[in-house]
Each structure stands twice: as C-alpha cells, then as structure tokens.
Amino acid sequence: MFDYAHLKALSIVVSQGGFDKAAQHLYISQSAVSQRIKQLEDKVGQALLVRSNPVRATETGKRLLRHYAQVQLLESELRSEMDVDDPSLPTIVKIAVNADSLATWFLPALTQTFKQHKWLLELVVDDEAYTHHLLKNGEAVGCVTTTQLALSGCSSEFLGNIEYQCVATPSFIEQYFSSDVPLDDISHAPAVVFSTKDKLHDKFLSFYFDINDKSWREHKIPSSESFLEAIKMGLGYGLVAHLQAKPLLDSGELVEIFPHKRMQVPLYWQHWNIKAKQTSIIYRALAMSAKEQLFP
C-alpha cells in the first residue's frame, strides 16, 4: 500500500516543476519533500523523477501519478455520495482539449454540468493529436483527441468531425489568388498555422495540391483566437474550424478560397476505465453538444 502523502508530494513536485515550489505549496520544508520522494522511490525500487529543470516524471512516475489522480477522483465521488461536504476538498476534473474545440463548442457543452455538480474544471490545452499523451501520463482524466484506438485502461467514444475550411480576407485573395495565378500553386502565399505540432495544413497541401516539400511560407501563431485574428487582418490564409468560420463567411469578412477542398478531423472522447460518474456524465454532456455542433 502506498502512502498517499508521498504520492501527493510526487504530484505536486511534477505540477510545480521542482522541489522548492512544491515545498511552498505543501507548507513543508524542501528536505521533507525530498524525503517523501526518496521513501516512495525506495518502496518502488525505481527513480520516479528526472531531476531536470523543470523536474519531470519518469515512466514509472507517470503511472503512479495516474493512479493517484484516479484515487482522488473516486474519493471525491465517495464524499459526494456520503454527503460529506468539505469545501477544502472540491472535485477537480482535469481534461485535455484541443484549442479549436475550446474556442467553440467545448465549454458551452460542459458549463451547466460543472455548475450543477459544483465541480472545478482544470483544462490542459494541446494539439488534438497529442492530448491523449496527457491522459496516458495521468495529467488528465479524459481528453478530446483524434486518436480512435483507446489507450490501455481507457475507453474511446466517437464525438463527431470538426470541419476546416481554407479562408482568407478578400484583399488577401485578390493579392495572392487572382485569376492569373494558378490555384494549384499556393506555395507563394503565406499561410497561418497554429504551431509546429499542428500538421493539418501539411496534410491539406499534400492531399489537394501534392505539395510535400515544406516549401511554403507560414506564420506560426499558437493561440486559437490570435490565429484567427491574424487571418482576419490579412496576414495569411489558413484552415479555420467551421464553427469559427461560419459567421465570418456569412458577413463577408472572410472568403473560402477552395469551397470544395475541406478537411474533416474526427474527434474522440477518451477517459479512464474507472467507476467514477464524472467521466460518464461529462461524456453525455459532450456527446449531446457534439451531435448539434459537429459533423456526424
């Protein structure tokens, strides 16, 4: 049996990125934090932390963090069922989500659920192709991901497809996509992409235009809101989620460059296979909203 004070220390050290901040968070000395980690590593017989800056968990450490997070979730549910109201121990639900979902349909889908149950929401934002790693590492109890295959110990539920349209301002299109410019050669036009992790634009150019040599120019803007603002200001063209693009297309502020060339990205809800009602309630709320907002 693990000492959960030691597991908590491990969790805080990783989340805070080091022993000093963890000690401040736990209101104990740094040596006391180090002692708890050492005792836990002695019990497991393996190193649980990589002493880097910031400190990060080893693979074994990640498994323990996942176990600790699952226990916390189950204990929160048990307190609720026993009507043991302790404001100092609120239910915190950590979810990993992609930026486009967060900027459009995700929060409205969950707001009423979290208000009703008085849960606290902690979001980790990452590219939809990477959010499942946060679930695997114990940094989230569930995630919105493009990965269909369920991770070990998890379930995967299809939510729907988010569709991306290639858009730009009318003036940008006039400059870069005039009638005398071949539409099948768009490598000369500056693109706006979300981040180096985001491969959607690469896939778009490869699938529709057979451009695979990364020869195009691009602005990297890792913020969903600023990404869209950059396109609206004419900095470049880009692939915008249909929920964000529709009002701007309707108003004429943006124009779809290739109406018949769109990309659909499937989204799944993956969560731990534990008997905690939080994950099933959250899935129902997400599925209901996704049915209305996403493509089947």
Side-chain angles (χ1 to χ4, degrees):
M1 180 65 68
F2 291 107
D3 186 323
Y4 284 91
H6 294 168
L7 289 176
K8 182 177 181 179
L10 177 66
S11 176
I12 298 300
V13 168
V14 173
S15 66
Q16 295 296 314
F19 288 81
D20 287 340
K21 291 182 178 179
Q24 296 171 17
H25 186 91
L26 292 169
Y27 300 103
I28 59 177
S29 67
Q30 181 181 338
S31 62
V33 175
S34 299
Q35 185 64 22
R36 291 182 185 184
I37 299 301
K38 183 179 183 303
Q39 290 173 351
L40 191 56
E41 288 181 325
D42 288 345
K43 182 176 182 65
V44 175
Q46 296 183 45
L48 301 176
L49 294 172
V50 177
R51 270 68 171 180
S52 55
N53 189 18
V55 172
R56 54 188 175 86
T58 64
E59 288 303 314
T60 302
K62 290 174 182 178
R63 287 196 289 271
L64 284 180
L65 289 174
R66 180 173 172 176
H67 169 74
Y68 178 63
Q70 291 176 346
V71 169
Q72 283 186 305
L73 196 63
L74 291 170
E75 286 185 349
S76 295
E77 181 176 350
L78 182 60
R79 287 196 303 270
S80 176
E81 291 177 350
M82 297 178 65
D83 198 24
V84 180
D85 187 16
D86 186 349
S88 68
L89 296 172
T91 297
I92 300 174
V93 183
K94 299 180 181 180
I95 299 175
V97 63
N98 61 308
D100 288 336
S101 292
L102 180 58
T104 52
W105 66 277
F106 184 83
L107 272 183
L110 293 184
T111 296
Q112 189 55 41
T113 296
F114 275 77
K115 288 169 64 177
Q116 177 184 345
H117 294 280
K118 298 181 180 179
W119 298 337
L120 298 181
L121 176 62
E122 184 173 328
L123 291 180
V124 184
V125 182
D126 205 337
D127 186 83
E128 59 267 22
Y130 291 85
T131 50
H132 65 286
H133 292 296
L134 300 170
L135 180 66
K136 180 181 179 180
N137 295 345
E139 297 174 60
V141 302
C143 68
V144 176
T145 177
T146 56
T147 302
Q148 178 181 8
L149 183 64
L151 296 171
S152 177
C154 297
S155 293
S156 179
E157 314 284 353
F158 177 67
L159 291 171
N161 291 289
I162 190 166
E163 186 171 76
Y164 289 85
Q165 298 167 265
C166 188
V167 300
T169 62
S171 59
F172 184 91
I173 292 174
E174 183 179 358
Q175 178 180 359
Y176 288 98
F177 297 99
S178 59
S179 58
D180 59 338
V181 176
L183 292 183
D184 60 351
D185 181 15
I186 63 173
S187 60
H188 64 288
V192 180
V193 301
F194 185 74
S195 70
T196 54
K197 285 183 177 180
D198 183 13
K199 302 302 180 185
L200 184 65
H201 200 92
D202 303 45
K203 294 176 182 177
F204 175 77
L205 293 182
S206 175
F207 184 79
Y208 285 114
F209 300 97
D210 197 29
I211 299 175
N212 299 289
D213 56 3
K214 202 67 175 180
S215 60
W216 62 90
R217 295 182 292 159
E218 62 185 26
H219 306 284
K220 296 183 179 68
I221 303 181
S223 161
S224 185
E225 291 77 11
S226 298
F227 166 87
L228 185 57
E229 283 299 314
I231 295 174
K232 288 164 60 179
M233 290 188 290
L235 193 62
Y237 77 98
L239 295 168
V240 176
H242 67 277
L243 294 169
Q244 291 175 300
K246 188 180 187 308
L248 299 170
L249 293 172
D250 290 344
S251 69
E253 187 172 356
L254 294 180
V255 176
E256 189 170 7
I257 306 173
F258 310 108
H260 303 295
K261 293 178 171 62
R262 298 178 177 180
M263 300 291 286
Q264 284 202 352
V265 176
L267 297 179
Y268 300 87
W269 168 247
Q270 287 210 30
H271 60 90
W272 296 334
N273 282 333
I274 58 174
K275 294 181 179 179
K277 66 180 181 182
Q278 288 92 341
T279 53
S280 57
I281 290 175
I282 288 170
Y283 168 63
R284 287 198 297 270
L286 291 177
M288 185 179 300
S289 180
K291 186 176 181 181
E292 298 174 355
Q293 302 289 330
L294 303 181
F295 286 89

